[in-house]
Amino acid sequence: MNYADHQLGIYLQGMFADQKPAITTDLAALEHAAATVLAPEALGYITPSAGSGATAAANRAAFDRWRIVPRMLRGSAQRDLSTTVLGTAMPAPVMIAPVGIQTLAHPDGELATARAAAALGLTYVHSTQSAHSFEQVAEASGDGARWYQLYWPTDPDVCVSFLERAKAGGYTTLVVTLDTTLLGYRPRDLDRGFLPFLHNVGIANYLTDPAFLAKLAKPVDEDPRAATLHWAQMFPNPGLSWADLPFLREHWDGPIVLKGICAVDDARLAADHGMDGIVVSNHGGRQVDGAAGSLDVLPGIAEAVGDRLTILFDSGVRTGSDVFKALALGAQAVLIGRPFLYGLALAGQAGVDHVLRCLLAELDLTLALSGYGTHRDLTPEALLPT
Amino acid sequence: MNYADHQLGIYLQGMFADQKPAITTDLAALEHAAATVLAPEALGYITPSAGSGATAAANRAAFDRWRIVPRMLRGSAQRDLSTTVLGTAMPAPVMIAPVGIQTLAHPDGELATARAAAALGLTYVHSTQSAHSFEQVAEASGDGARWYQLYWPTDPDVCVSFLERAKAGGYTTLVVTLDTTLLGYRPRDLDRGFLPFLHNVGIANYLTDPAFLAKLAKPVDEDPRAATLHWAQMFPNPGLSWADLPFLREHWDGPIVLKGICAVDDARLAADHGMDGIVVSNHGGRQVDGAAGSLDVLPGIAEAVGDRLTILFDSGVRTGSDVFKALALGAQAVLIGRPFLYGLALAGQAGVDHVLRCLLAELDLTLALSGYGTHRDLTPEALLPT
Amino acid sequence: MNYADHQLGIYLQGMFADQKPAITTDLAALEHAAATVLAPEALGYITPSAGSGATAAANRAAFDRWRIVPRMLRGSAQRDLSTTVLGTAMPAPVMIAPVGIQTLAHPDGELATARAAAALGLTYVHSTQSAHSFEQVAEASGDGARWYQLYWPTDPDVCVSFLERAKAGGYTTLVVTLDTTLLGYRPRDLDRGFLPFLHNVGIANYLTDPAFLAKLAKPVDEDPRAATLHWAQMFPNPGLSWADLPFLREHWDGPIVLKGICAVDDARLAADHGMDGIVVSNHGGRQVDGAAGSLDVLPGIAEAVGDRLTILFDSGVRTGSDVFKALALGAQAVLIGRPFLYGLALAGQAGVDHVLRCLLAELDLTLALSGYGTHRDLTPEALLPT
Amino acid sequence: MNYADHQLGIYLQGMFADQKPAITTDLAALEHAAATVLAPEALGYITPSAGSGATAAANRAAFDRWRIVPRMLRGSAQRDLSTTVLGTAMPAPVMIAPVGIQTLAHPDGELATARAAAALGLTYVHSTQSAHSFEQVAEASGDGARWYQLYWPTDPDVCVSFLERAKAGGYTTLVVTLDTTLLGYRPRDLDRGFLPFLHNVGIANYLTDPAFLAKLAKPVDEDPRAATLHWAQMFPNPGLSWADLPFLREHWDGPIVLKGICAVDDARLAADHGMDGIVVSNHGGRQVDGAAGSLDVLPGIAEAVGDRLTILFDSGVRTGSDVFKALALGAQAVLIGRPFLYGLALAGQAGVDHVLRCLLAELDLTLALSGYGTHRDLTPEALLPT
């Protein structure tokens, strides 16, 4: 597939149909555009990172420290961006990050995103904290590839039930988020006293779960507050340790990926514990203020465990050029979060589609213009540190 | 104590009581908030640093140069932030810095802060330049731990009297500030011709001191100007030298801490002279313009004398993440200044309480999310320099 | 020629004729000035760089990293800025970059620029994507030196025809642009759905070309859209490779320069393939977002192939001081792009003349004040890295 | 003399007389304040630096790269800032830089500044391009120390006459400015077509010079334009070389200082040619755009020739803290330019006095608070590079 053609398509539509894109094509401007349509609570929940925002700034600064050195005359007329990650075939090394509560951005929420991803063949990662359930998302996703992201609850029954529902719903790989055993310190939400889950938004997987419901004294609609509080007791899980991982293997026979790895030693531990992959991530800066930029820790991790683990990446990715850099520094695929969410806010499924097409077009163009017929040839040599 | 619970408490209050925090939870935004309620002279005295403000900027830049690398799956459900510093038990490695003239921020001044600190179990450090006396603050502090900060006056009788009153008032450790033997060059105050002490504000300890009063020809209320001038003659003491320290040992039998150490060689001299501890500090940037960021000099000092002295830290600390970094780089506890003062300005004792709880919550969350069950395990390995 | 005299001339005109320059002399302010007169589509096409603009920022940051160290008392009353580049005599090491579609800036377009260049003796480089044809520009250029820049079309007949017309028109050196085998991702144009070529603007060379016209079913004015689409099929050429270069040698007997070189290895390949020169360039940041600053890669390339190839430079040059730096780091001449285009927008030929005179005056002054009688003595020793 | 007392004086005046300083004490804010009173042409001439302003920015950035590390308890009650530079006794290592045409700032021009300097005992350096003559300034300066700065004219008769008048006027040291053999490229003046000298402002030394007048066909008031043009022919002197220096020695028997040295090799040449001192300076950024920050080149020069030459410094100095840094990095005294000129603009002689007192107070306080009893003990060890 030639993603770059999307650009010419826009120009031709401009010329022949006098039509402009309904949403900006400037991927770095999407946040600003989305801010004009999002409700204040939604904007406050989606956009900021933890504390003073230093980690989000570090994520961006890390990208600025690496510069692409394009190569010329390497015959890159055909690009092949396809790849296979942990058995999942992908037309491009780009995945939909497991963003929760997408109804904050748009009423269609996860369903719109899953449909857009499936239409493009991209893998959708379903968040435990979704506003739609495993089953609803699976139906929307249809034949599309999908993985499941676990926030590991303290109740093992619910955990096992989640894994079983994921399997039944065709989610093939398990992504375990480690960096959010407690919520980060988020002043904009705190200043509003606003946590969406406490309004029973974004806990659809729980409210449809037999194991969860079994622990409630009354049906949810009779005592919604009790359901909320039950969730609030089950979600925090800072006691998790490496010794808990065999429990997952016992209940999940597909690949397991640990998300939230920032330290080289943790990447090694993941390999030592038989994990299949990791996502190098600081949760888009939403958890620990003052943390290292995610891209700043990627090269060391790739060097240490690149031959033992599948390495995925997120946090701070905004453009196709960013994806190029993360791939060059050792990621096998990149998860996109806020950009698609801004597209969702602006135009639902069509907005997600627009953002993903633009990002893939820019990635494809960056590869072509930098002399790469496939992203699989990228190495750190493609970049210059500054 | 689980400081992180404060965060969930705010959310629950938002949901069940529809209440928002009265003061922002954004610790980096407190200065802006306080600026809306402080009188211009108070704002001009409290907020700026010396000269062009370069030292305050350096303090913040120093924090940005170190980045937290969170560790995963280390079973940090229970955190123990308690510590003992020079014999004083502390529930968390956070102390109230010896800020003077707190009535500039709020009529209750030091009394409100001392009460808030005592309620949280945090150690209060009483400034020589307070608007309330040793005795008043001791009463407000009650069972709370308290230390005394000395601006060493040129009159030895007053100095001895201060030390005796401190002992009598239950102040257990002596903190000697070395960096303010003269006032720094502060344009905003100079432009107003405003020095609060010259209005007999912030010299309560003197005006209640027998040794001080004995030197005045008339009672203070009969000739307040003479009292002011007498203070103004006694305060500057740039002739102090290492040879003067035995005088303190003679008149103080508790631990002695030197505050304002920036040079490794001075830290060594402090140890050589038998001091118990130091505060690595540039006085929040208020004394020398163009000075090194306080955190920039901490690691070298910790390496040089960490095994001989108790090392405390202040200057530029705004958030729990900042506290984490200072502890990781060798401080055993951190003194908080302007943030609590902004809380005081915004809501008196309740404001101080709010700020301290937020800061402790963020510190606790940062430890938990970074994989530390106690701050005592922090080392520079927890950070990545950039 | 003493370019510095232009400065005194302005002052004398101010004094004796009470006349101010019609256009600012602040070369860094030209973009702002031009923005006030350009149509939005023109401004959106001319000014921005690709994607998020990071490459344009990198171009400027690269200049800031090198600082001139002026030398004193070196007797630089007379400066000789003349040089010969690939057989073309030049009064100064400054050339007119091959900017396309100059009618976006001013109705006179390339003709005005070619005239201004010829009047100053500077070499004009004719872009394949011009709004005026080879022949029109050659006539305007008259006795002026001129080179030809090729966007290598996929149709070899058209390519050969272009080369023959260039030769016939007195264009002496061939500059082959390698970095634009596809258009970069340019959000401002995309957001407008605006690509000037699709309106048959900027493809004058094609529309006057027998080989091009021969492939059209109808005359252009009968079916302009077909001509556009034919161009759009012929322009993209990402399949080009080093193996194609002999084709050019076969059809061009003058010097050949490869434009768009950023990697040291590509510079070596250019030499290995018998090229005469290269232009170190990232196309003014218009092609790959997040690419290395052009000046950042110049020193390494100059060191590697400076003895085998003529090295030219562009991207980010705004002032005479910038030209000085690029020459010191190994360029034999520098191509100026946007600055002259802004002059063109502001006042047609007179505007181009004004900008070039100012830039040459500043270059000459910088040489004189830095102790250089000729730019040919410049080495990296003239600069201090920061 | 205890310069720090000036600070307490301001506070006491505020308290007892309810008087605020008429001019801000914020030395970094003077430019902003002066901008409100200066005529546009004057502001445009005085404030900007050459070209894009990059050199002025580099001057300031250089100061930010060095940070003071205050030392404690060093008994600095008494400070001795006095020094002797090339035989001139100075109460502090601060001199008045040879700023030209001071009537642009205030009608009293150089006379006001010379009086203020003399009153404080600071050495005044008289610019060749002054609005008042040698003799007028000498009279205003009275018993004050004064040096003479030469812009070496191409007419040797005028040069010799200047030197003789300087000697006769009690100017004891000759400062030869090397960096302005041509005027730098200054867009703000060019955009106005404004060069004050062409209006016979700032050439008082010439218009009162017998050797200059002798070359004019008519008296100045009969043909002022001819005088202007004669000046304009005589001023530029880019042909000057090291071989010309013996001419100065022949006609000047006092110390000679070369001003405008930025390169270590030029500093060595100055020593080799028997000069007495140098001023490390880039003319406040007014000559070469994109040049190295003046403080960035000071340490290397001090290391190379500190034992052979007296080293003075200017460019970018705004505060007492800046002076401290330059002294620590090897300067024996520092020349102050724009700050006093802003004071002059704001309040004539009283304004100059105010600025100098503030700057000296801050310098004195910085020494005291950093543990130095005299600036002569400063070494690079007092600073931390960042």
Side-chain angles (χ1 to χ4, degrees):
Chain A
M1 175 151 189
N2 194 339
Y3 291 112
D5 286 350
H6 182 58
Q7 172 167 263
L8 186 58
I10 291 177
Y11 286 132
L12 291 173
Q13 214 166 7
M15 183 198 174
F16 294 125
D18 200 23
Q19 279 195 348
K20 301 178 188 179
I23 300 174
T24 181
T25 63
D26 184 346
L27 297 163
L30 285 169
E31 177 175 325
H32 183 76
T36 65
V37 301
L38 285 166
E41 302 81 32
L43 184 65
Y45 183 81
I46 292 171
T47 306
S49 64
S52 68
T55 303
N59 281 339
R60 292 303 309 155
F63 280 101
D64 280 342
R65 273 194 274 278
W66 292 97
R67 296 276 163 191
I68 300 169
V69 182
R71 302 298 306 271
M72 298 295 126
L73 288 174
R74 308 220 296 188
S76 43
Q78 305 303 323
R79 275 88 58 200
D80 178 8
L81 276 69
S82 70
T83 191
T84 298
V85 178
L86 298 170
T88 302
M90 302 182 177
V94 168
M95 306 172 67
I96 305 300
V99 173
I101 352 173
Q102 298 183 24
T103 49
L104 282 182
H106 189 276
D108 296 343
E110 293 83 1
L111 306 182
T113 306
R115 285 178 192 127
L120 287 164
L122 301 184
T123 299
Y124 181 87
V125 187
H126 178 61
S127 169
T128 293
Q129 296 301 119
S130 288
H132 291 94
S133 68
F134 291 96
E135 294 75 18
Q136 289 172 303
V137 169
E139 189 188 340
S141 173
D143 291 340
R146 49 190 176 270
W147 291 9
Y148 168 54
Q149 174 272 338
L150 175 71
Y151 284 118
W152 192 331
T154 50
D155 183 333
D157 295 342
V158 172
C159 186
V160 169
S161 177
F162 280 177
L163 298 179
E164 287 172 355
R165 290 168 70 194
K167 262 179 289 182
Y171 301 85
T172 57
T173 286
L174 180 66
V175 178
V176 190
T177 297
L178 307 177
D179 58 20
T180 312
T181 54
L182 293 167
L183 280 185
Y185 185 81
R186 300 178 187 170
R188 285 217 230 164
D189 293 339
L190 288 166
D191 280 359
R192 286 194 178 87
F194 173 74
L195 187 64
F197 314 113
L198 298 185
H199 300 266
N200 287 350
V201 175
I203 57 171
N205 289 321
Y206 301 84
L207 299 182
T208 55
D209 194 81
F212 181 87
L213 296 170
K215 309 287 171 74
L216 300 180
K218 296 183 187 175
V220 173
D221 49 5
E222 286 181 26
D223 190 355
R225 185 170 289 190
T228 300
L229 289 178
H230 192 57
W231 169 82
Q233 285 171 328
M234 179 181 302
F235 181 84
N237 200 355
L240 275 178
S241 74
W242 294 99
D244 295 314
L245 293 177
F247 178 89
L248 287 187
R249 277 288 179 222
E250 197 178 326
H251 295 278
W252 182 266
D253 53 14
I256 302 181
V257 173
L258 300 185
K259 179 167 181 288
I261 300 295
C262 292
V264 171
D265 283 346
D266 281 349
R268 285 204 189 93
L269 286 168
D272 295 345
H273 284 77
M275 296 293 104
D276 301 287
I278 56 175
V279 185
V280 175
S281 165
N282 59 28
H283 212 118
R286 297 170 73 82
Q287 286 295 100
V288 173
D289 192 25
S294 200
L295 198 75
D296 282 333
V297 300
L298 175 60
I301 290 174
E303 190 181 18
V305 301
D307 54 348
R308 300 171 69 195
L309 289 175
T310 289
I311 299 177
L312 307 177
F313 178 84
D314 75 23
S315 296
V317 179
R318 292 296 174 272
T319 68
S321 165
D322 295 339
V323 175
F324 180 104
K325 291 178 185 179
L327 297 171
L329 291 175
Q332 281 150 272
V334 170
L335 288 77
I336 304 298
R338 287 188 186 93
F340 89 73
L341 201 62
Y342 296 139
L344 180 64
L346 288 161
Q349 178 180 347
V352 177
D353 180 75
H354 165 84
V355 167
L356 293 172
R357 283 182 190 274
C358 285
L359 185 132
L360 290 169
E362 199 203 352
L363 171 60
D364 192 19
L365 284 165
T366 303
L367 286 165
L369 293 169
S370 300
Y372 292 88
T374 172
H375 68 283
R376 294 186 300 275
D377 291 342
L378 287 171
T379 70
E381 302 291 306
L383 305 179
L384 185 75
T386 61
Chain B
M1 173 151 190
N2 195 339
Y3 291 111
D5 286 349
H6 181 58
Q7 172 167 264
L8 186 58
I10 292 177
Y11 286 131
L12 291 173
Q13 214 166 8
M15 183 198 174
F16 294 125
D18 201 22
Q19 278 195 348
K20 301 178 188 179
I23 300 174
T24 181
T25 62
D26 184 347
L27 298 163
L30 285 169
E31 177 175 325
H32 183 76
T36 65
V37 301
L38 286 166
E41 302 80 33
L43 184 65
Y45 183 82
I46 291 171
T47 305
S49 63
S52 68
T55 303
N59 281 339
R60 291 304 309 157
F63 280 100
D64 280 342
R65 274 194 273 278
W66 292 97
R67 296 276 163 192
I68 299 169
V69 182
R71 302 298 305 273
M72 298 295 126
L73 288 175
R74 307 221 294 188
S76 42
Q78 306 301 324
R79 275 88 58 201
D80 177 8
L81 277 67
S82 70
T83 191
T84 297
V85 177
L86 297 170
T88 302
M90 303 182 177
V94 167
M95 305 171 68
I96 306 300
V99 173
I101 353 173
Q102 297 183 24
T103 49
L104 282 182
H106 189 276
D108 297 343
E110 294 83 0
L111 304 182
T113 307
R115 285 179 193 126
L120 287 164
L122 301 184
T123 298
Y124 180 87
V125 187
H126 178 61
S127 168
T128 293
Q129 296 301 119
S130 289
H132 291 93
S133 68
F134 291 96
E135 293 76 16
Q136 290 173 303
V137 169
E139 189 189 341
S141 174
D143 291 338
R146 49 191 177 270
W147 292 8
Y148 168 53
Q149 174 271 339
L150 175 71
Y151 284 119
W152 193 330
T154 50
D155 183 333
D157 295 342
V158 173
C159 184
V160 169
S161 177
F162 280 177
L163 298 179
E164 287 172 354
R165 290 169 70 194
K167 263 179 289 183
Y171 301 86
T172 57
T173 286
L174 180 66
V175 178
V176 189
T177 298
L178 306 177
D179 58 19
T180 311
T181 55
L182 293 168
L183 281 185
Y185 184 82
R186 300 178 187 171
R188 284 216 228 165
D189 294 338
L190 288 166
D191 280 0
R192 287 194 178 87
F194 173 73
L195 187 63
F197 315 113
L198 296 186
H199 300 268
N200 287 349
V201 174
I203 56 172
N205 289 321
Y206 301 85
L207 298 182
T208 56
D209 194 80
F212 182 87
L213 297 171
K215 309 286 172 76
L216 299 180
K218 296 182 186 174
V220 173
D221 49 4
E222 286 181 27
D223 190 354
R225 187 171 288 189
T228 301
L229 290 177
H230 192 57
W231 169 82
Q233 284 171 330
M234 179 182 302
F235 181 84
N237 200 356
L240 275 178
S241 74
W242 293 99
D244 295 314
L245 292 178
F247 178 88
L248 287 186
R249 276 286 177 225
E250 197 178 325
H251 295 277
W252 181 266
D253 53 13
I256 303 181
V257 173
L258 299 185
K259 179 168 182 285
I261 300 296
C262 292
V264 171
D265 284 347
D266 282 349
R268 285 204 190 94
L269 285 169
D272 295 345
H273 284 77
M275 296 294 104
D276 301 287
I278 56 175
V279 185
V280 175
S281 165
N282 59 27
H283 212 119
R286 297 171 72 83
Q287 286 296 99
V288 173
D289 191 25
S294 199
L295 198 76
D296 282 333
V297 299
L298 175 60
I301 290 175
E303 190 180 16
V305 301
D307 53 348
R308 301 172 68 196
L309 290 175
T310 289
I311 299 178
L312 308 177
F313 178 85
D314 75 23
S315 297
V317 179
R318 292 296 175 272
T319 69
S321 165
D322 295 339
V323 175
F324 180 104
K325 292 178 183 179
L327 296 172
L329 292 174
Q332 280 150 272
V334 170
L335 287 76
I336 305 297
R338 287 188 185 92
F340 88 73
L341 202 62
Y342 296 140
L344 180 64
L346 288 161
Q349 179 180 344
V352 177
D353 179 76
H354 166 85
V355 167
L356 293 172
R357 283 181 191 273
C358 286
L359 186 133
L360 290 169
E362 199 202 353
L363 172 59
D364 192 20
L365 285 166
T366 304
L367 285 166
L369 293 169
S370 300
Y372 292 88
T374 171
H375 69 281
R376 293 186 301 275
D377 291 342
L378 287 172
T379 70
E381 301 291 306
L383 305 179
L384 185 75
T386 61
Chain C
M1 174 153 189
N2 195 339
Y3 291 112
D5 286 349
H6 182 58
Q7 172 167 265
L8 186 58
I10 291 177
Y11 285 132
L12 291 173
Q13 214 166 7
M15 184 202 175
F16 294 125
D18 200 24
Q19 279 194 348
K20 302 178 188 179
I23 300 173
T24 182
T25 63
D26 184 347
L27 297 162
L30 285 169
E31 178 174 325
H32 183 75
T36 66
V37 301
L38 286 165
E41 302 81 32
L43 185 64
Y45 183 81
I46 292 170
T47 305
S49 64
S52 69
T55 303
N59 281 338
R60 291 304 309 156
F63 280 100
D64 280 342
R65 273 193 275 276
W66 292 97
R67 296 276 163 192
I68 299 169
V69 182
R71 301 298 305 272
M72 297 296 126
L73 288 175
R74 307 219 297 186
S76 43
Q78 305 301 323
R79 276 88 58 201
D80 178 7
L81 276 69
S82 70
T83 191
T84 297
V85 177
L86 298 171
T88 301
M90 302 181 176
V94 168
M95 306 172 67
I96 306 300
V99 173
I101 352 174
Q102 298 182 24
T103 50
L104 282 182
H106 190 276
D108 296 343
E110 293 84 0
L111 305 182
T113 306
R115 286 181 191 123
L120 287 164
L122 301 184
T123 299
Y124 181 87
V125 187
H126 178 61
S127 167
T128 293
Q129 296 301 119
S130 288
H132 291 93
S133 69
F134 291 97
E135 293 76 18
Q136 290 173 302
V137 169
E139 190 188 338
S141 171
D143 291 339
R146 49 191 177 270
W147 293 8
Y148 168 54
Q149 174 271 338
L150 175 71
Y151 285 119
W152 193 329
T154 50
D155 182 333
D157 295 342
V158 172
C159 184
V160 170
S161 177
F162 280 178
L163 298 180
E164 287 173 354
R165 290 169 70 194
K167 262 180 288 183
Y171 301 86
T172 57
T173 286
L174 180 65
V175 178
V176 189
T177 298
L178 306 176
D179 58 19
T180 311
T181 54
L182 294 167
L183 281 184
Y185 185 81
R186 301 179 187 170
R188 284 216 229 166
D189 293 339
L190 289 166
D191 279 0
R192 287 195 177 86
F194 172 73
L195 187 64
F197 314 113
L198 298 185
H199 300 267
N200 287 349
V201 174
I203 58 171
N205 289 321
Y206 301 84
L207 298 181
T208 56
D209 194 81
F212 181 88
L213 297 171
K215 310 286 171 77
L216 300 179
K218 296 183 187 174
V220 173
D221 49 5
E222 286 181 27
D223 191 355
R225 185 171 289 190
T228 300
L229 290 177
H230 192 55
W231 169 83
Q233 284 171 330
M234 180 183 301
F235 181 84
N237 199 356
L240 275 178
S241 75
W242 294 99
D244 295 314
L245 292 178
F247 178 87
L248 287 187
R249 276 286 178 225
E250 197 178 325
H251 295 279
W252 182 266
D253 53 15
I256 303 181
V257 173
L258 300 184
K259 180 168 181 286
I261 299 296
C262 294
V264 171
D265 284 347
D266 281 350
R268 285 205 189 93
L269 286 168
D272 295 346
H273 284 76
M275 297 293 103
D276 300 287
I278 56 176
V279 185
V280 174
S281 166
N282 59 27
H283 212 118
R286 297 170 73 82
Q287 286 295 100
V288 173
D289 192 25
S294 200
L295 198 76
D296 281 333
V297 299
L298 176 60
I301 291 174
E303 190 180 18
V305 302
D307 54 348
R308 300 171 69 196
L309 289 175
T310 290
I311 299 178
L312 307 177
F313 178 85
D314 75 22
S315 297
V317 180
R318 293 294 174 273
T319 69
S321 165
D322 295 339
V323 174
F324 180 103
K325 291 178 184 178
L327 297 171
L329 292 175
Q332 280 150 273
V334 169
L335 287 76
I336 305 298
R338 286 187 185 92
F340 88 73
L341 201 62
Y342 296 139
L344 180 64
L346 288 160
Q349 179 180 346
V352 178
D353 180 75
H354 166 83
V355 167
L356 293 172
R357 283 182 192 272
C358 286
L359 185 133
L360 291 169
E362 199 202 352
L363 171 60
D364 192 18
L365 285 166
T366 304
L367 286 166
L369 293 169
S370 300
Y372 293 87
T374 172
H375 68 282
R376 295 186 300 275
D377 292 342
L378 288 170
T379 70
E381 301 292 306
L383 305 179
L384 185 75
T386 60
Chain D
M1 172 152 190
N2 195 340
Y3 291 112
D5 286 350
H6 182 58
Q7 172 167 266
L8 186 58
I10 292 177
Y11 285 132
L12 291 173
Q13 213 166 8
M15 184 199 174
F16 294 125
D18 202 23
Q19 278 194 348
K20 302 178 188 181
I23 300 174
T24 182
T25 63
D26 184 347
L27 297 163
L30 285 169
E31 177 174 325
H32 184 75
T36 64
V37 301
L38 285 166
E41 302 82 31
L43 185 65
Y45 183 82
I46 291 171
T47 305
S49 64
S52 69
T55 303
N59 282 339
R60 292 303 310 156
F63 280 100
D64 280 342
R65 272 194 275 277
W66 292 97
R67 296 277 163 192
I68 299 170
V69 182
R71 301 299 305 271
M72 298 296 126
L73 288 176
R74 307 219 298 187
S76 42
Q78 305 302 323
R79 276 88 58 200
D80 177 6
L81 276 68
S82 70
T83 191
T84 298
V85 178
L86 297 171
T88 302
M90 302 182 177
V94 168
M95 306 172 68
I96 306 299
V99 173
I101 353 174
Q102 297 182 24
T103 49
L104 282 182
H106 189 276
D108 296 344
E110 293 83 0
L111 305 182
T113 306
R115 285 180 193 125
L120 287 164
L122 301 184
T123 298
Y124 180 87
V125 187
H126 179 61
S127 168
T128 294
Q129 296 300 121
S130 289
H132 291 94
S133 68
F134 291 96
E135 293 75 18
Q136 290 173 303
V137 169
E139 190 189 339
S141 173
D143 291 340
R146 49 190 176 271
W147 292 8
Y148 168 54
Q149 173 271 337
L150 175 71
Y151 285 118
W152 192 330
T154 49
D155 183 331
D157 296 341
V158 172
C159 185
V160 169
S161 178
F162 280 179
L163 297 179
E164 288 172 355
R165 290 169 70 193
K167 262 179 289 183
Y171 301 86
T172 57
T173 286
L174 179 66
V175 178
V176 190
T177 298
L178 306 177
D179 58 20
T180 312
T181 55
L182 294 167
L183 280 183
Y185 184 82
R186 301 178 187 169
R188 284 215 230 166
D189 294 338
L190 288 166
D191 279 0
R192 287 193 179 87
F194 173 73
L195 187 64
F197 315 112
L198 297 186
H199 300 268
N200 287 350
V201 175
I203 58 172
N205 289 321
Y206 301 85
L207 298 182
T208 56
D209 194 81
F212 182 87
L213 297 171
K215 308 286 171 76
L216 300 180
K218 296 183 187 174
V220 173
D221 51 4
E222 286 181 28
D223 190 355
R225 185 171 290 188
T228 300
L229 290 178
H230 192 56
W231 169 83
Q233 284 171 330
M234 180 183 300
F235 181 84
N237 199 356
L240 275 178
S241 74
W242 294 98
D244 295 314
L245 292 178
F247 178 87
L248 287 186
R249 276 286 177 224
E250 197 178 325
H251 295 277
W252 182 266
D253 52 15
I256 303 181
V257 173
L258 300 184
K259 178 168 182 285
I261 299 295
C262 293
V264 171
D265 284 347
D266 281 350
R268 286 206 188 92
L269 285 168
D272 295 345
H273 284 77
M275 297 293 103
D276 301 287
I278 56 175
V279 185
V280 174
S281 166
N282 59 28
H283 212 118
R286 296 170 73 81
Q287 287 295 100
V288 173
D289 191 25
S294 201
L295 197 76
D296 281 334
V297 299
L298 176 60
I301 290 174
E303 190 180 16
V305 300
D307 54 348
R308 300 172 68 195
L309 289 175
T310 289
I311 299 177
L312 308 177
F313 178 84
D314 75 23
S315 297
V317 178
R318 291 295 174 272
T319 69
S321 165
D322 295 340
V323 174
F324 180 103
K325 292 178 184 179
L327 296 172
L329 292 175
Q332 280 151 273
V334 170
L335 287 76
I336 304 298
R338 287 188 184 93
F340 89 73
L341 201 62
Y342 296 139
L344 180 64
L346 288 160
Q349 179 180 344
V352 178
D353 180 75
H354 166 84
V355 167
L356 294 172
R357 283 182 192 272
C358 286
L359 186 133
L360 291 169
E362 199 203 354
L363 171 59
D364 192 19
L365 285 166
T366 304
L367 285 166
L369 293 169
S370 300
Y372 293 88
T374 171
H375 68 282
R376 295 186 300 276
D377 291 342
L378 288 171
T379 70
E381 302 292 308
L383 305 179
L384 185 75
T386 59

